Amino acid sequence: MSDKATRGIRFQRPRSLHFRLRSRHVLLAVIILCAYFYLSTHTQRIPFHNGRTPYRIQAQFPRESAAAKKLRLQRRDKVEEAFKHAWKGYKDHAWLHDEVMPVSGGQKDPFVGWAATLVDSLDSLYIMGLKNEFAEAVAALAQIDFSKPNADKVPVFEVTIRYLGGLLGAYDISEHKYPALLQKATQLGEFLYKAFDTDSGLPVPYYFWKENVSGKLPGEEKVIIAQIASLSLEFIRLSQVTGDLKYAAKIQIVTDQLAYMQNITALPGMWPILANCTGEYLAFENKIFSLGVLADSAFEYLPKTHLLNYRISDQYINMYRLALASFSKHLFFRPSLPGNPDILMSGNMNMYEDPPRLDGQFQHLACFVGGMVALGSRISNSMEELQMAGKLTDGCVWGYSNTPSGVMPDFAHVEPCQDAASCTWEGEGNGFKSVDDPSYQLRPEAIESIFIMYRLTADPSWLEKGWKMFEAIVKHTKTDIAHARLVNVMNENPAHEDSMESYWLAETLKYFYLLYSEPDLVSLDDFVLNTEAHPLRWRA
């Protein structure tokens, strides 16, 4: 990044604020510890709003016809078949390794060698009723020591969402019947807790655990915002289920700094994609704003953590509303496309330019936005936001429907309409201005938003949109061993890349399976799903 790109906002608190903020952090931590302890020890005695939660997330589903049920269950079985195929490939070729290589049959360990696919898939196995496979996988956890990684560098964010989220999600979905899951989650939580031992209280993005002998860990520059702002669900839930509230207290310190900075960035309401965590406080030296790669789950976790934490505070939903006001005004846009569809996409805002410029980059990772806005609409009871969520989700449906393979590319560009109210296509081609990365990396974000829209509206059109996506994805990704990334979805028959990340089983196929399951299976009125689709119980 150029010197110009590293200049920007750096908020320096006056010395007079230093003591007050430190004292506030301590006071908040004490309050949270007391509140969580009370709630965790009195859960059965406390009436939640006269026995009910304050939110109803899912729609009321009408009675299903026999024909509709038969078709839905046939589709669900096809998803389960794809899952079993990929799980067998992992078990046969890469058991207790992080990932199977679906073309060659090899294995690799990019996530410290704690069997990422196994842990990430635990709750998927349980949800799909594969109880023997689930029990076998739980038993295999005894061979994994989550206090000693098989690598020197630990990616804190990835380990938290895949492993800690995976263990907690399996513990919650299995109704706390497997104490080994909580034991392993606590072991891992104790290890990750040390990554917060910095001057600012912000976690290091990569924990070199062998070097942490004594003293504070050094902070880092140019930290991806998602790496520090996307840990709240897992650590708060760990405090809730263990009664050890130090994990939630660490998160509160991070959240307070994020909240403090939210309205004094170059685009108030949002955080830039990169942060500076070298000092005693969070600072920003970047003016690029996005809801895609580098920033996605930082915003996704605001409404989700509110559901987990609403009995304690409205802080997360208030932060979300500030963010929504900003990115709905500055990042969401109607694209200029053939047929002039009334859909929305989320781009990037470059605040270095004068005037600031919206970049119509169309990212698969940003497809989570429809689901996020839909979930937030239920908390805010806003039909307008739900309609916005539907248009954002349809933007990603368009991305799948307009490629030769039927699968959306990872990065592309479209042209934003100058006037959303009177947008008329005058170009040539299929609407893609450019395709910057034509790969498909087995990503779940588009089907995640379709699943959430279906559960919140009961509109069967989402079932048809999801099925078209599933058929195209499975057709092209299936190998003799499992399922593989695609090199170029702009080809009618894309070639395979020898990679299958754990989220294929943890997220993508789970969302497809839940889309065609009964609405009360992993009901969103009971569970909130972390960014790796692990179900954490939010309703007591």
Side-chain angles (χ1 to χ4, degrees), residues 75-108:
R75 291 173 170 178
R76 187 197 67 181
D77 290 346
K78 288 291 186 182
V79 177
E80 183 179 333
E81 181 181 309
F83 182 95
K84 288 179 177 178
H85 175 69
W87 178 254
K88 183 178 186 301
Y90 170 73
K91 185 178 176 182
D92 290 349
H93 296 273
W95 187 247
L96 289 176
H97 288 277
D98 285 348
E99 296 176 7
V100 65
M101 300 174 72
V103 178
S104 66
Q107 65 278 137
K108 54 184 177 179

PDB file of all heavy atoms in Angstrom, residues 75-108:
ATOM      1  N   ARG A  75     -35.394 -32.867  -2.598  1.00  0.00           N
ATOM      2  CA  ARG A  75     -34.271 -31.941  -2.716  1.00  0.00           C
ATOM      3  C   ARG A  75     -33.364 -32.014  -1.492  1.00  0.00           C
ATOM      4  O   ARG A  75     -32.134 -31.996  -1.607  1.00  0.00           O
ATOM      5  CB  ARG A  75     -34.795 -30.520  -2.931  1.00  0.00           C
ATOM      6  CG  ARG A  75     -35.447 -30.342  -4.296  1.00  0.00           C
ATOM      7  CD  ARG A  75     -36.110 -28.979  -4.447  1.00  0.00           C
ATOM      8  NE  ARG A  75     -36.516 -28.752  -5.837  1.00  0.00           N
ATOM      9  CZ  ARG A  75     -37.145 -27.656  -6.251  1.00  0.00           C
ATOM     10  NH1 ARG A  75     -37.438 -26.684  -5.386  1.00  0.00           N
ATOM     11  NH2 ARG A  75     -37.479 -27.520  -7.531  1.00  0.00           N
ATOM     12  N   ARG A  76     -33.964 -32.098  -0.325  1.00  0.00           N
ATOM     13  CA  ARG A  76     -33.164 -32.229   0.898  1.00  0.00           C
ATOM     14  C   ARG A  76     -32.299 -33.483   0.840  1.00  0.00           C
ATOM     15  O   ARG A  76     -31.120 -33.457   1.239  1.00  0.00           O
ATOM     16  CB  ARG A  76     -34.086 -32.281   2.116  1.00  0.00           C
ATOM     17  CG  ARG A  76     -33.357 -32.251   3.445  1.00  0.00           C
ATOM     18  CD  ARG A  76     -34.249 -32.706   4.582  1.00  0.00           C
ATOM     19  NE  ARG A  76     -34.581 -34.122   4.452  1.00  0.00           N
ATOM     20  CZ  ARG A  76     -35.366 -34.787   5.292  1.00  0.00           C
ATOM     21  NH1 ARG A  76     -35.935 -34.159   6.322  1.00  0.00           N
ATOM     22  NH2 ARG A  76     -35.616 -36.072   5.118  1.00  0.00           N
ATOM     23  N   ASP A  77     -32.869 -34.582   0.342  1.00  0.00           N
ATOM     24  CA  ASP A  77     -32.108 -35.832   0.249  1.00  0.00           C
ATOM     25  C   ASP A  77     -30.929 -35.700  -0.717  1.00  0.00           C
ATOM     26  O   ASP A  77     -29.864 -36.288  -0.496  1.00  0.00           O
ATOM     27  CB  ASP A  77     -33.020 -36.972  -0.193  1.00  0.00           C
ATOM     28  CG  ASP A  77     -34.025 -37.369   0.888  1.00  0.00           C
ATOM     29  OD1 ASP A  77     -33.845 -36.943   2.048  1.00  0.00           O
ATOM     30  OD2 ASP A  77     -35.008 -38.066   0.555  1.00  0.00           O
ATOM     31  N   LYS A  78     -31.106 -34.936  -1.781  1.00  0.00           N
ATOM     32  CA  LYS A  78     -30.011 -34.706  -2.724  1.00  0.00           C
ATOM     33  C   LYS A  78     -28.876 -33.925  -2.064  1.00  0.00           C
ATOM     34  O   LYS A  78     -27.696 -34.189  -2.314  1.00  0.00           O
ATOM     35  CB  LYS A  78     -30.527 -33.952  -3.951  1.00  0.00           C
ATOM     36  CG  LYS A  78     -31.393 -34.781  -4.884  1.00  0.00           C
ATOM     37  CD  LYS A  78     -30.571 -35.852  -5.602  1.00  0.00           C
ATOM     38  CE  LYS A  78     -31.406 -36.585  -6.626  1.00  0.00           C
ATOM     39  NZ  LYS A  78     -30.623 -37.665  -7.306  1.00  0.00           N
ATOM     40  N   VAL A  79     -29.242 -32.956  -1.216  1.00  0.00           N
ATOM     41  CA  VAL A  79     -28.219 -32.203  -0.487  1.00  0.00           C
ATOM     42  C   VAL A  79     -27.479 -33.124   0.476  1.00  0.00           C
ATOM     43  O   VAL A  79     -26.242 -33.101   0.567  1.00  0.00           O
ATOM     44  CB  VAL A  79     -28.851 -31.020   0.277  1.00  0.00           C
ATOM     45  CG1 VAL A  79     -27.781 -30.291   1.082  1.00  0.00           C
ATOM     46  CG2 VAL A  79     -29.551 -30.066  -0.681  1.00  0.00           C
ATOM     47  N   GLU A  80     -28.228 -33.959   1.185  1.00  0.00           N
ATOM     48  CA  GLU A  80     -27.605 -34.898   2.120  1.00  0.00           C
ATOM     49  C   GLU A  80     -26.672 -35.861   1.376  1.00  0.00           C
ATOM     50  O   GLU A  80     -25.599 -36.210   1.867  1.00  0.00           O
ATOM     51  CB  GLU A  80     -28.672 -35.691   2.862  1.00  0.00           C
ATOM     52  CG  GLU A  80     -28.114 -36.634   3.908  1.00  0.00           C
ATOM     53  CD  GLU A  80     -29.199 -37.387   4.653  1.00  0.00           C
ATOM     54  OE1 GLU A  80     -30.324 -36.870   4.764  1.00  0.00           O
ATOM     55  OE2 GLU A  80     -28.914 -38.512   5.126  1.00  0.00           O
ATOM     56  N   GLU A  81     -27.062 -36.258   0.204  1.00  0.00           N
ATOM     57  CA  GLU A  81     -26.234 -37.146  -0.599  1.00  0.00           C
ATOM     58  C   GLU A  81     -24.897 -36.475  -0.944  1.00  0.00           C
ATOM     59  O   GLU A  81     -23.832 -37.105  -0.885  1.00  0.00           O
ATOM     60  CB  GLU A  81     -26.993 -37.508  -1.879  1.00  0.00           C
ATOM     61  CG  GLU A  81     -26.285 -38.446  -2.828  1.00  0.00           C
ATOM     62  CD  GLU A  81     -27.116 -38.705  -4.077  1.00  0.00           C
ATOM     63  OE1 GLU A  81     -28.305 -39.061  -3.923  1.00  0.00           O
ATOM     64  OE2 GLU A  81     -26.591 -38.527  -5.194  1.00  0.00           O
ATOM     65  N   ALA A  82     -24.960 -35.201  -1.298  1.00  0.00           N
ATOM     66  CA  ALA A  82     -23.730 -34.462  -1.603  1.00  0.00           C
ATOM     67  C   ALA A  82     -22.857 -34.337  -0.361  1.00  0.00           C
ATOM     68  O   ALA A  82     -21.625 -34.471  -0.428  1.00  0.00           O
ATOM     69  CB  ALA A  82     -24.071 -33.080  -2.150  1.00  0.00           C
ATOM     70  N   PHE A  83     -23.477 -34.092   0.779  1.00  0.00           N
ATOM     71  CA  PHE A  83     -22.723 -33.989   2.023  1.00  0.00           C
ATOM     72  C   PHE A  83     -22.029 -35.315   2.343  1.00  0.00           C
ATOM     73  O   PHE A  83     -20.844 -35.341   2.698  1.00  0.00           O
ATOM     74  CB  PHE A  83     -23.647 -33.582   3.174  1.00  0.00           C
ATOM     75  CG  PHE A  83     -22.938 -33.416   4.485  1.00  0.00           C
ATOM     76  CD1 PHE A  83     -22.498 -32.173   4.902  1.00  0.00           C
ATOM     77  CD2 PHE A  83     -22.703 -34.507   5.318  1.00  0.00           C
ATOM     78  CE1 PHE A  83     -21.827 -32.016   6.112  1.00  0.00           C
ATOM     79  CE2 PHE A  83     -22.038 -34.366   6.518  1.00  0.00           C
ATOM     80  CZ  PHE A  83     -21.602 -33.112   6.913  1.00  0.00           C
ATOM     81  N   LYS A  84     -22.765 -36.421   2.251  1.00  0.00           N
ATOM     82  CA  LYS A  84     -22.191 -37.732   2.559  1.00  0.00           C
ATOM     83  C   LYS A  84     -21.012 -38.046   1.641  1.00  0.00           C
ATOM     84  O   LYS A  84     -20.019 -38.629   2.085  1.00  0.00           O
ATOM     85  CB  LYS A  84     -23.267 -38.816   2.424  1.00  0.00           C
ATOM     86  CG  LYS A  84     -24.312 -38.814   3.530  1.00  0.00           C
ATOM     87  CD  LYS A  84     -25.337 -39.908   3.270  1.00  0.00           C
ATOM     88  CE  LYS A  84     -26.363 -39.992   4.387  1.00  0.00           C
ATOM     89  NZ  LYS A  84     -27.398 -41.031   4.100  1.00  0.00           N
ATOM     90  N   HIS A  85     -21.131 -37.658   0.389  1.00  0.00           N
ATOM     91  CA  HIS A  85     -20.046 -37.894  -0.563  1.00  0.00           C
ATOM     92  C   HIS A  85     -18.787 -37.151  -0.128  1.00  0.00           C
ATOM     93  O   HIS A  85     -17.684 -37.723  -0.093  1.00  0.00           O
ATOM     94  CB  HIS A  85     -20.483 -37.446  -1.960  1.00  0.00           C
ATOM     95  CG  HIS A  85     -19.408 -37.525  -2.987  1.00  0.00           C
ATOM     96  ND1 HIS A  85     -18.896 -38.722  -3.448  1.00  0.00           N
ATOM     97  CD2 HIS A  85     -18.722 -36.545  -3.649  1.00  0.00           C
ATOM     98  CE1 HIS A  85     -17.959 -38.485  -4.345  1.00  0.00           C
ATOM     99  NE2 HIS A  85     -17.820 -37.170  -4.486  1.00  0.00           N
ATOM    100  N   ALA A  86     -18.931 -35.866   0.219  1.00  0.00           N
ATOM    101  CA  ALA A  86     -17.769 -35.074   0.623  1.00  0.00           C
ATOM    102  C   ALA A  86     -17.215 -35.538   1.967  1.00  0.00           C
ATOM    103  O   ALA A  86     -15.997 -35.577   2.170  1.00  0.00           O
ATOM    104  CB  ALA A  86     -18.155 -33.596   0.692  1.00  0.00           C
ATOM    105  N   TRP A  87     -18.097 -35.898   2.890  1.00  0.00           N
ATOM    106  CA  TRP A  87     -17.645 -36.378   4.201  1.00  0.00           C
ATOM    107  C   TRP A  87     -16.871 -37.695   4.060  1.00  0.00           C
ATOM    108  O   TRP A  87     -15.842 -37.891   4.703  1.00  0.00           O
ATOM    109  CB  TRP A  87     -18.837 -36.561   5.139  1.00  0.00           C
ATOM    110  CG  TRP A  87     -18.456 -37.103   6.479  1.00  0.00           C
ATOM    111  CD1 TRP A  87     -18.669 -38.365   6.947  1.00  0.00           C
ATOM    112  CD2 TRP A  87     -17.769 -36.405   7.530  1.00  0.00           C
ATOM    113  NE1 TRP A  87     -18.172 -38.506   8.226  1.00  0.00           N
ATOM    114  CE2 TRP A  87     -17.613 -37.311   8.604  1.00  0.00           C
ATOM    115  CE3 TRP A  87     -17.272 -35.115   7.662  1.00  0.00           C
ATOM    116  CZ2 TRP A  87     -16.973 -36.959   9.798  1.00  0.00           C
ATOM    117  CZ3 TRP A  87     -16.642 -34.760   8.851  1.00  0.00           C
ATOM    118  CH2 TRP A  87     -16.492 -35.671   9.896  1.00  0.00           C
ATOM    119  N   LYS A  88     -17.358 -38.587   3.219  1.00  0.00           N
ATOM    120  CA  LYS A  88     -16.653 -39.853   2.996  1.00  0.00           C
ATOM    121  C   LYS A  88     -15.269 -39.599   2.409  1.00  0.00           C
ATOM    122  O   LYS A  88     -14.281 -40.236   2.801  1.00  0.00           O
ATOM    123  CB  LYS A  88     -17.458 -40.755   2.065  1.00  0.00           C
ATOM    124  CG  LYS A  88     -16.829 -42.129   1.837  1.00  0.00           C
ATOM    125  CD  LYS A  88     -17.704 -43.001   0.938  1.00  0.00           C
ATOM    126  CE  LYS A  88     -17.141 -44.426   0.845  1.00  0.00           C
ATOM    127  NZ  LYS A  88     -15.776 -44.455   0.304  1.00  0.00           N
ATOM    128  N   GLY A  89     -15.186 -38.642   1.476  1.00  0.00           N
ATOM    129  CA  GLY A  89     -13.891 -38.318   0.902  1.00  0.00           C
ATOM    130  C   GLY A  89     -12.921 -37.803   1.947  1.00  0.00           C
ATOM    131  O   GLY A  89     -11.735 -38.173   1.956  1.00  0.00           O
ATOM    132  N   TYR A  90     -13.427 -36.956   2.853  1.00  0.00           N
ATOM    133  CA  TYR A  90     -12.569 -36.459   3.937  1.00  0.00           C
ATOM    134  C   TYR A  90     -12.158 -37.603   4.861  1.00  0.00           C
ATOM    135  O   TYR A  90     -10.978 -37.744   5.219  1.00  0.00           O
ATOM    136  CB  TYR A  90     -13.304 -35.379   4.733  1.00  0.00           C
ATOM    137  CG  TYR A  90     -12.578 -35.003   6.004  1.00  0.00           C
ATOM    138  CD1 TYR A  90     -11.405 -34.256   5.966  1.00  0.00           C
ATOM    139  CD2 TYR A  90     -13.046 -35.427   7.250  1.00  0.00           C
ATOM    140  CE1 TYR A  90     -10.720 -33.928   7.127  1.00  0.00           C
ATOM    141  CE2 TYR A  90     -12.372 -35.109   8.414  1.00  0.00           C
ATOM    142  CZ  TYR A  90     -11.208 -34.355   8.349  1.00  0.00           C
ATOM    143  OH  TYR A  90     -10.525 -34.054   9.501  1.00  0.00           O
ATOM    144  N   LYS A  91     -13.111 -38.430   5.239  1.00  0.00           N
ATOM    145  CA  LYS A  91     -12.817 -39.510   6.183  1.00  0.00           C
ATOM    146  C   LYS A  91     -11.840 -40.525   5.589  1.00  0.00           C
ATOM    147  O   LYS A  91     -10.921 -41.000   6.269  1.00  0.00           O
ATOM    148  CB  LYS A  91     -14.119 -40.202   6.585  1.00  0.00           C
ATOM    149  CG  LYS A  91     -13.945 -41.270   7.648  1.00  0.00           C
ATOM    150  CD  LYS A  91     -15.279 -41.891   8.037  1.00  0.00           C
ATOM    151  CE  LYS A  91     -15.080 -43.022   9.030  1.00  0.00           C
ATOM    152  NZ  LYS A  91     -16.368 -43.675   9.378  1.00  0.00           N
ATOM    153  N   ASP A  92     -11.995 -40.836   4.313  1.00  0.00           N
ATOM    154  CA  ASP A  92     -11.149 -41.843   3.679  1.00  0.00           C
ATOM    155  C   ASP A  92      -9.741 -41.343   3.382  1.00  0.00           C
ATOM    156  O   ASP A  92      -8.780 -42.123   3.415  1.00  0.00           O
ATOM    157  CB  ASP A  92     -11.789 -42.318   2.367  1.00  0.00           C
ATOM    158  CG  ASP A  92     -13.036 -43.158   2.596  1.00  0.00           C
ATOM    159  OD1 ASP A  92     -13.294 -43.556   3.749  1.00  0.00           O
ATOM    160  OD2 ASP A  92     -13.767 -43.400   1.610  1.00  0.00           O
ATOM    161  N   HIS A  93      -9.607 -40.051   3.110  1.00  0.00           N
ATOM    162  CA  HIS A  93      -8.335 -39.536   2.604  1.00  0.00           C
ATOM    163  C   HIS A  93      -7.636 -38.537   3.525  1.00  0.00           C
ATOM    164  O   HIS A  93      -6.432 -38.299   3.337  1.00  0.00           O
ATOM    165  CB  HIS A  93      -8.549 -38.873   1.234  1.00  0.00           C
ATOM    166  CG  HIS A  93      -9.000 -39.806   0.165  1.00  0.00           C
ATOM    167  ND1 HIS A  93      -8.133 -40.536  -0.610  1.00  0.00           N
ATOM    168  CD2 HIS A  93     -10.248 -40.134  -0.253  1.00  0.00           C
ATOM    169  CE1 HIS A  93      -8.813 -41.276  -1.462  1.00  0.00           C
ATOM    170  NE2 HIS A  93     -10.103 -41.053  -1.280  1.00  0.00           N
ATOM    171  N   ALA A  94      -8.372 -37.947   4.487  1.00  0.00           N
ATOM    172  CA  ALA A  94      -7.744 -36.865   5.264  1.00  0.00           C
ATOM    173  C   ALA A  94      -8.189 -36.833   6.714  1.00  0.00           C
ATOM    174  O   ALA A  94      -8.147 -35.782   7.352  1.00  0.00           O
ATOM    175  CB  ALA A  94      -8.043 -35.516   4.593  1.00  0.00           C
ATOM    176  N   TRP A  95      -8.592 -37.938   7.257  1.00  0.00           N
ATOM    177  CA  TRP A  95      -9.105 -37.994   8.626  1.00  0.00           C
ATOM    178  C   TRP A  95      -8.110 -37.394   9.618  1.00  0.00           C
ATOM    179  O   TRP A  95      -6.925 -37.727   9.590  1.00  0.00           O
ATOM    180  CB  TRP A  95      -9.411 -39.432   8.998  1.00  0.00           C
ATOM    181  CG  TRP A  95     -10.101 -39.627  10.318  1.00  0.00           C
ATOM    182  CD1 TRP A  95      -9.596 -40.230  11.424  1.00  0.00           C
ATOM    183  CD2 TRP A  95     -11.440 -39.249  10.645  1.00  0.00           C
ATOM    184  NE1 TRP A  95     -10.529 -40.247  12.426  1.00  0.00           N
ATOM    185  CE2 TRP A  95     -11.678 -39.651  11.982  1.00  0.00           C
ATOM    186  CE3 TRP A  95     -12.470 -38.601   9.955  1.00  0.00           C
ATOM    187  CZ2 TRP A  95     -12.896 -39.438  12.638  1.00  0.00           C
ATOM    188  CZ3 TRP A  95     -13.680 -38.386  10.599  1.00  0.00           C
ATOM    189  CH2 TRP A  95     -13.884 -38.801  11.922  1.00  0.00           C
ATOM    190  N   LEU A  96      -8.600 -36.483  10.443  1.00  0.00           N
ATOM    191  CA  LEU A  96      -7.844 -35.757  11.458  1.00  0.00           C
ATOM    192  C   LEU A  96      -6.866 -34.729  10.873  1.00  0.00           C
ATOM    193  O   LEU A  96      -6.111 -34.101  11.619  1.00  0.00           O
ATOM    194  CB  LEU A  96      -7.116 -36.704  12.417  1.00  0.00           C
ATOM    195  CG  LEU A  96      -8.027 -37.469  13.384  1.00  0.00           C
ATOM    196  CD1 LEU A  96      -7.223 -38.438  14.227  1.00  0.00           C
ATOM    197  CD2 LEU A  96      -8.809 -36.516  14.275  1.00  0.00           C
ATOM    198  N   HIS A  97      -6.904 -34.544   9.571  1.00  0.00           N
ATOM    199  CA  HIS A  97      -6.229 -33.404   8.954  1.00  0.00           C
ATOM    200  C   HIS A  97      -7.254 -32.291   8.747  1.00  0.00           C
ATOM    201  O   HIS A  97      -8.466 -32.500   8.874  1.00  0.00           O
ATOM    202  CB  HIS A  97      -5.597 -33.800   7.621  1.00  0.00           C
ATOM    203  CG  HIS A  97      -4.390 -34.670   7.772  1.00  0.00           C
ATOM    204  ND1 HIS A  97      -3.137 -34.168   8.035  1.00  0.00           N
ATOM    205  CD2 HIS A  97      -4.249 -36.029   7.713  1.00  0.00           C
ATOM    206  CE1 HIS A  97      -2.272 -35.164   8.127  1.00  0.00           C
ATOM    207  NE2 HIS A  97      -2.925 -36.306   7.934  1.00  0.00           N
ATOM    208  N   ASP A  98      -6.768 -31.110   8.389  1.00  0.00           N
ATOM    209  CA  ASP A  98      -7.678 -29.985   8.219  1.00  0.00           C
ATOM    210  C   ASP A  98      -8.568 -30.135   6.989  1.00  0.00           C
ATOM    211  O   ASP A  98      -9.770 -29.883   7.054  1.00  0.00           O
ATOM    212  CB  ASP A  98      -6.892 -28.662   8.125  1.00  0.00           C
ATOM    213  CG  ASP A  98      -6.368 -28.212   9.473  1.00  0.00           C
ATOM    214  OD1 ASP A  98      -6.794 -28.773  10.500  1.00  0.00           O
ATOM    215  OD2 ASP A  98      -5.529 -27.294   9.506  1.00  0.00           O
ATOM    216  N   GLU A  99      -7.982 -30.510   5.865  1.00  0.00           N
ATOM    217  CA  GLU A  99      -8.746 -30.546   4.617  1.00  0.00           C
ATOM    218  C   GLU A  99      -8.328 -31.718   3.748  1.00  0.00           C
ATOM    219  O   GLU A  99      -7.156 -32.126   3.747  1.00  0.00           O
ATOM    220  CB  GLU A  99      -8.533 -29.253   3.809  1.00  0.00           C
ATOM    221  CG  GLU A  99      -9.039 -27.997   4.487  1.00  0.00           C
ATOM    222  CD  GLU A  99      -8.703 -26.755   3.678  1.00  0.00           C
ATOM    223  OE1 GLU A  99      -8.195 -26.885   2.539  1.00  0.00           O
ATOM    224  OE2 GLU A  99      -8.949 -25.641   4.179  1.00  0.00           O
ATOM    225  N   VAL A 100      -9.288 -32.226   2.999  1.00  0.00           N
ATOM    226  CA  VAL A 100      -8.993 -33.199   1.957  1.00  0.00           C
ATOM    227  C   VAL A 100      -8.737 -32.444   0.655  1.00  0.00           C
ATOM    228  O   VAL A 100      -9.308 -31.380   0.418  1.00  0.00           O
ATOM    229  CB  VAL A 100     -10.159 -34.196   1.780  1.00  0.00           C
ATOM    230  CG1 VAL A 100     -11.420 -33.515   1.266  1.00  0.00           C
ATOM    231  CG2 VAL A 100      -9.760 -35.343   0.855  1.00  0.00           C
ATOM    232  N   MET A 101      -7.897 -32.993  -0.181  1.00  0.00           N
ATOM    233  CA  MET A 101      -7.664 -32.453  -1.523  1.00  0.00           C
ATOM    234  C   MET A 101      -8.517 -33.281  -2.477  1.00  0.00           C
ATOM    235  O   MET A 101      -8.237 -34.464  -2.707  1.00  0.00           O
ATOM    236  CB  MET A 101      -6.177 -32.509  -1.854  1.00  0.00           C
ATOM    237  CG  MET A 101      -5.335 -31.699  -0.868  1.00  0.00           C
ATOM    238  SD  MET A 101      -3.532 -31.864  -1.090  1.00  0.00           S
ATOM    239  CE  MET A 101      -3.329 -30.931  -2.621  1.00  0.00           C
ATOM    240  N   PRO A 102      -9.584 -32.704  -3.001  1.00  0.00           N
ATOM    241  CA  PRO A 102     -10.638 -33.489  -3.654  1.00  0.00           C
ATOM    242  C   PRO A 102     -10.309 -34.006  -5.049  1.00  0.00           C
ATOM    243  O   PRO A 102     -11.075 -34.796  -5.599  1.00  0.00           O
ATOM    244  CB  PRO A 102     -11.804 -32.501  -3.715  1.00  0.00           C
ATOM    245  CG  PRO A 102     -11.146 -31.161  -3.780  1.00  0.00           C
ATOM    246  CD  PRO A 102      -9.919 -31.272  -2.940  1.00  0.00           C
ATOM    247  N   VAL A 103      -9.208 -33.586  -5.614  1.00  0.00           N
ATOM    248  CA  VAL A 103      -8.806 -34.089  -6.929  1.00  0.00           C
ATOM    249  C   VAL A 103      -7.746 -35.178  -6.789  1.00  0.00           C
ATOM    250  O   VAL A 103      -7.876 -36.271  -7.340  1.00  0.00           O
ATOM    251  CB  VAL A 103      -8.290 -32.944  -7.822  1.00  0.00           C
ATOM    252  CG1 VAL A 103      -7.818 -33.495  -9.169  1.00  0.00           C
ATOM    253  CG2 VAL A 103      -9.381 -31.892  -8.031  1.00  0.00           C
ATOM    254  N   SER A 104      -6.704 -34.884  -6.004  1.00  0.00           N
ATOM    255  CA  SER A 104      -5.587 -35.822  -5.858  1.00  0.00           C
ATOM    256  C   SER A 104      -5.785 -36.834  -4.746  1.00  0.00           C
ATOM    257  O   SER A 104      -5.138 -37.877  -4.729  1.00  0.00           O
ATOM    258  CB  SER A 104      -4.303 -35.040  -5.597  1.00  0.00           C
ATOM    259  OG  SER A 104      -4.373 -34.371  -4.337  1.00  0.00           O
ATOM    260  N   GLY A 105      -6.655 -36.527  -3.787  1.00  0.00           N
ATOM    261  CA  GLY A 105      -6.822 -37.412  -2.640  1.00  0.00           C
ATOM    262  C   GLY A 105      -5.821 -37.176  -1.535  1.00  0.00           C
ATOM    263  O   GLY A 105      -5.741 -37.958  -0.584  1.00  0.00           O
ATOM    264  N   GLY A 106      -5.099 -36.082  -1.610  1.00  0.00           N
ATOM    265  CA  GLY A 106      -4.157 -35.740  -0.548  1.00  0.00           C
ATOM    266  C   GLY A 106      -4.833 -35.017   0.603  1.00  0.00           C
ATOM    267  O   GLY A 106      -6.064 -34.934   0.680  1.00  0.00           O
ATOM    268  N   GLN A 107      -4.018 -34.508   1.520  1.00  0.00           N
ATOM    269  CA  GLN A 107      -4.544 -33.747   2.652  1.00  0.00           C
ATOM    270  C   GLN A 107      -3.616 -32.576   2.940  1.00  0.00           C
ATOM    271  O   GLN A 107      -2.444 -32.583   2.546  1.00  0.00           O
ATOM    272  CB  GLN A 107      -4.714 -34.600   3.901  1.00  0.00           C
ATOM    273  CG  GLN A 107      -3.445 -35.147   4.498  1.00  0.00           C
ATOM    274  CD  GLN A 107      -2.927 -36.410   3.820  1.00  0.00           C
ATOM    275  OE1 GLN A 107      -1.741 -36.542   3.584  1.00  0.00           O
ATOM    276  NE2 GLN A 107      -3.820 -37.342   3.491  1.00  0.00           N
ATOM    277  N   LYS A 108      -4.165 -31.546   3.612  1.00  0.00           N
ATOM    278  CA  LYS A 108      -3.363 -30.397   4.000  1.00  0.00           C
ATOM    279  C   LYS A 108      -3.895 -29.824   5.300  1.00  0.00           C
ATOM    280  O   LYS A 108      -5.024 -30.103   5.711  1.00  0.00           O
ATOM    281  CB  LYS A 108      -3.339 -29.334   2.896  1.00  0.00           C
ATOM    282  CG  LYS A 108      -4.693 -28.857   2.413  1.00  0.00           C
ATOM    283  CD  LYS A 108      -4.494 -27.877   1.258  1.00  0.00           C
ATOM    284  CE  LYS A 108      -5.831 -27.422   0.684  1.00  0.00           C
ATOM    285  NZ  LYS A 108      -5.672 -26.447  -0.428  1.00  0.00           N
TER     286      LYS A 108
END
